[in-house]
C-alpha cells in the first residue's frame, strides 16, 4: 500500500501499544517511551520499502518488478530488518538507549511495536492485487489479497481521527482534523471516491471524534479504530469473493469451453460494491485476457456509476451473461508462442516471474493488471532481438506457471 497509509496505521498501532503498557513513573521517561514506540512502529511499517534501492540490479522495468516487494517483504528477512532498525534506534537515540536499559516495559513495548510494524507492512501489501511472496526461500509462490485498493481512506479516518484527538496541542488537533475532510473532498472531486463513500467516511470520522469529545479513553478509541479497519477488511474479503464469482460466471456463460485460470481484482477505495478486474482464460492453445469492472448491486448502483477515475474506459455488458459485469477490452495470445519465447528470451523469462496477466507480442510485454494506472503501465517491457541478461533474477514463482506448462 502507499506509504501514507502505512504510516498512519503504524502510528495508530504504536500509540495503542504505548497506551496498553503501564506508564513510566518519570514523566520525561514516559515522553521518551511514547516517542520511541510511535517512531519504531511507524518506521517499521515503512522499512521494507527500502528495497527500492535494489531496483538498479536489473534494467527497467525488471529492477522494480523483481526487487520491489522482494526479499525485504518476506517473513524470514523481516528478522534482520528488525535487528537493523533496533540497532539504529539504540545507536542514534541516547535517551531511548538509557530508557531501554532501565525499563522492562519499554523493552517489551519496543519489541511489540517493531513486530507489529513489520507484520503490518507485509499484511497490508498482501491485501491489494500486486501481491507478495512471504514464504521465500521455502516457497516462491505469490499471494494476492485482491481486497483493498492501494490507497484506502477508511484506514486514514479510522486511525487518523483518534491520533489527531490525542495530539497535545489544541491548534494541532484542529489542523489535523480539518485536513482530513479536505483531502477526502479533493479525491472525491477528482473521481476516486463516490459521494456516498465521502459521506460515509465523514460520518465515521465525526462519530469517532464525538466519542473522544465524550471522554472516551484514547486506548478505547484506538481499539475501536482497529475494529473498524478489521471489519472493513472482512467486508472487502466477502465482496471480493462475490466479485470473483460474478466475473467467473460471466466468462463461463460467454464461452463454456474456456477454462478461467485467474481473475485479478482491484477494489475501489471505500466502496465494496465496485471492482475492476482483469481475467485470463485458456483453451490450451490460445489464451484470452479481458479487462472490465462490475458492481455487485447493479440495480442499486449501476457499474457505470462507479467512481470514474478508476473505471476502465468504455465498457459493455457481455450478451446473455451476469448483470453488472462490464468488459472494456480484451487481448488474445498463443500459448505455444508464449512458451517458446519465454524459453529463449531471458528478459521475458525474468519478467514472467512477476506477470500475472501477461500480454506478450513481438515487441513488448505488459501485465494488464496495471494498464490504466495514472502513470501508465509501469510493467511494460520492450523486447529486444538480442536481450542482455547478466543481471540478478530472484527465484520468485511464476504467477502463470499454469499457462507456461510448469509445476
Amino acid at each position: 500500500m502507499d506509504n501514507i497509509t502505512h504510516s498512519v496505521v503504524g502510528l495508530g498501532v504504536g500509540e495503542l501499544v504505548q497506551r496498553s503498557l503501564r506508564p513510566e513513573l518519570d514523566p520525561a521517561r514516559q515522553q521518551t517511551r511514547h516517542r520511541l514506540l510511535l517512531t519504531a512502529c511507524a518506521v517499521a511499517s515503512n522499512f521494507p520499502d527500502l528495497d527500492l534501492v535494489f531496483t538498479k540490479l536489473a534494467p527497467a522495468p525488471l529492477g522494480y518488478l523483481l526487487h520491489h516487494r522482494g526479499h525485504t517483504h518476506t517473513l524470514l528477512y523481516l528478522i534482520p530488518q528488525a535487528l537493523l532498525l533496533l540497532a539504529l534506534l539504540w545507536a542514534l537515540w541516547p535517551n531511548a538507549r538509557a530508557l531501554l536499559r532501565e525499563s522492562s516495559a519499554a523493552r517489551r513495548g519496543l519489541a511489540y511495536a517493531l513486530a507489529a510494524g513489520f507484520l503490518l507492512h507485509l499484511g497490508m501489501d498482501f491485501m491489494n492485487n500486486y501481491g507478495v511472496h512471504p514464504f521465500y526461500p521455502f516457497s516462491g509462490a505469490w499471494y494476492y489479497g485482491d481486497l483493498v485498493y492501494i490507497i484506502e481512506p477508511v484506514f486514514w479516518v479510522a486511525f487518523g481521527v483518534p491520533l489527531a484527538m490525542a495530539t497535545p496541542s489544541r491548534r494541532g488537533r484542529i489542523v489535523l482534523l480539518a485536513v482530513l475532510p479536505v483531502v477526502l473532498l479533493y479525491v472525491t472531486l477528482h473521481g476516486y471516491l463516490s459521494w456516498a463513500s465521502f459521506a460515509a467516511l465523514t460520518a465515521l470520522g465525526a462519530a469517532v471524534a464525538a466519542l473522544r469529545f465524550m471522554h472516551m479513553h484514547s486506548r478505547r478509541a484506538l481499539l475501536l479504530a482497529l475494529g473498524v479497519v478489521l471489519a472493513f477488511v472482512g467486508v472487502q474479503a466477502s465482496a471480493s469473493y462475490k466479485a470473483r464469482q460474478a466475473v467467473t460466471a460471466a466468462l463461463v456463460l460467454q464461452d463454456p469451453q474456456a477454462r478461467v485460470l485467474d481473475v485479478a481484482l482491484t477494489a475501489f477505495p471505500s466502496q465494496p460494491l465496485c471492482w475492476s478486474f482483469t481475467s485470463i482464460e485458456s483453451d490450451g492453445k490460445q489464451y484470452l485476457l479481458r479487462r472490465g469492472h462490475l458492481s455487485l448491486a447493479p440495480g442499486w448502483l449501476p457499474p457505470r456509476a462507479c467512481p470514474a477515475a478508476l473505471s476502465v474506459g468504455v465498457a459493455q455488458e457481455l450478451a446473455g451473461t451476469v448483470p453488472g459485469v462490464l468488459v472494456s477490452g480484451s487481448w488474445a495470445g498463443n500459448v505455444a508462442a508464449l512458451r517458446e519465447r519465454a524459453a529463449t528470451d531471458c528478459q521475458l523469462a525474468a519478467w514472467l516471474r512477476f506477470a500475472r496477466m501477461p500480454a506478450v507480442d513481438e515487441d513488448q510485454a505488459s501485465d494488464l493488471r496495471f494498464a490504466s494506472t495514472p502513470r501508465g503501465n509501469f510493467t511494460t517491457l520492450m523486447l529486444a532481438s538480442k536481450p542482455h541478461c547478466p543481471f540478478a533474477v530472484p527465484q520468485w514463482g511464476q504467477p502463470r506457471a499454469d499457462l507456461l506448462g510448469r509445476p
Side-chain angles (χ1 to χ4, degrees):
M1 299 192 75
D2 74 291
N3 293 103
I4 293 176
T5 306
H6 279 307
S7 298
V8 170
V9 175
L11 287 170
V13 172
E15 182 76 23
L16 180 58
V17 170
Q18 155 68 11
R19 292 180 179 273
S20 298
L21 299 170
R22 59 176 174 80
E24 304 290 333
L25 297 178
D26 178 54
R29 287 173 51 170
Q30 175 72 1
Q31 184 180 55
T32 297
R33 192 183 80 183
H34 190 184
R35 292 174 177 171
L36 173 64
L37 298 192
L38 263 68
T39 300
C41 199
V43 174
S45 292
N46 288 279
F47 207 83
D49 281 341
L50 291 177
D51 61 8
L52 291 171
V53 303
F54 301 129
T55 58
K56 300 299 182 183
L57 294 176
L62 293 173
Y64 183 87
L65 302 181
L66 296 176
H67 293 288
H68 179 48
R69 297 208 187 177
H71 293 88
T72 60
H73 287 69
T74 63
L75 289 168
L76 181 64
Y77 287 95
L78 291 184
I79 298 171
Q81 292 178 83
L83 294 175
L84 174 59
L85 180 52
L86 177 61
L88 290 172
L89 292 170
W90 180 272
L92 302 176
W93 199 335
N95 288 346
R97 185 165 62 244
L99 172 67
L100 291 170
R101 284 196 182 107
E102 300 171 5
S103 171
S104 61
R107 292 193 294 271
R108 188 166 63 255
L110 180 58
Y112 293 155
L114 288 174
F118 280 108
L119 291 175
L120 277 169
H121 188 102
L122 206 59
M124 290 170 68
D125 277 359
F126 157 75
M127 288 192 292
N128 54 54
N129 75 346
Y130 193 105
V132 290
H133 28 74
F135 304 115
Y136 184 83
F138 309 106
S139 168
W142 286 85
Y143 292 86
Y144 308 97
D146 290 0
L147 303 177
V148 177
Y149 190 63
I150 194 168
I151 301 172
E152 182 43 70
V154 168
F155 293 1
W156 302 350
V157 173
F159 281 109
V161 172
L163 282 171
M165 297 294 292
T167 303
S169 165
R170 183 173 180 271
R171 179 177 295 179
R173 288 196 298 272
I174 293 172
V175 169
L176 290 173
L177 289 173
V179 164
L180 197 52
V182 171
V183 172
L184 294 177
L185 180 61
Y186 176 85
V187 295
T188 302
L189 290 173
H190 284 74
Y192 291 95
L193 270 181
S194 67
W195 286 105
S197 297
F198 173 79
L201 290 166
T202 304
L204 171 63
V208 175
L211 289 172
R212 286 290 288 121
F213 277 122
M214 294 167 63
H215 305 292
M216 174 184 269
H217 194 276
S218 287
R219 181 173 178 272
R220 291 181 180 176
L222 289 163
L223 285 171
L224 174 62
L226 182 60
V228 167
V229 166
L230 292 176
F232 174 74
V233 171
V235 169
Q236 289 292 112
S238 176
S240 175
Y241 175 76
K242 292 179 180 178
R244 180 170 282 103
Q245 282 188 315
V247 173
T248 303
L251 298 176
V252 170
L253 286 171
Q254 183 71 11
D255 184 2
Q257 302 304 316
R259 181 167 62 102
V260 179
L261 300 180
D262 194 7
V263 177
L265 293 165
T266 300
F268 281 56
S270 310
Q271 177 49 278
L273 297 179
C274 292
W275 297 82
S276 296
F277 71 87
T278 309
S279 64
I280 182 168
E281 49 195 299
S282 176
D283 61 4
K285 297 180 180 180
Q286 302 292 320
Y287 71 99
L288 179 65
L289 299 168
R290 301 183 201 255
R291 299 182 64 248
H293 68 280
L294 70 146
S295 168
L296 291 177
W300 181 68
L301 177 68
R304 290 185 174 85
C306 291
L310 296 174
S311 299
V312 287
V314 179
Q316 61 183 1
E317 194 168 82
L318 293 173
T321 182
V322 177
V325 179
L326 303 184
V327 173
S328 63
S330 61
W331 188 96
N334 182 275
V335 174
L338 176 65
R339 293 178 180 180
E340 182 180 355
R341 186 72 182 268
T344 57
D345 188 323
C346 54
Q347 289 198 359
L348 178 61
W351 181 83
L352 286 168
R353 293 191 180 277
F354 171 84
R356 185 180 176 189
M357 297 291 166
V360 182
D361 59 28
E362 288 297 320
D363 301 317
Q364 66 180 35
S366 295
D367 190 322
L368 292 193
R369 282 179 293 172
F370 308 105
S372 57
T373 64
R375 58 186 176 123
N377 195 331
F378 61 90
T379 70
T380 298
L381 171 70
M382 304 309 297
L383 299 174
S385 56
K386 295 182 179 179
H388 180 67
C389 295
F391 56 82
V393 180
Q395 298 302 297
W396 316 138
Q398 293 174 324
R400 289 277 66 86
D402 49 7
L403 196 67
L404 296 171
R406 298 171 186 171

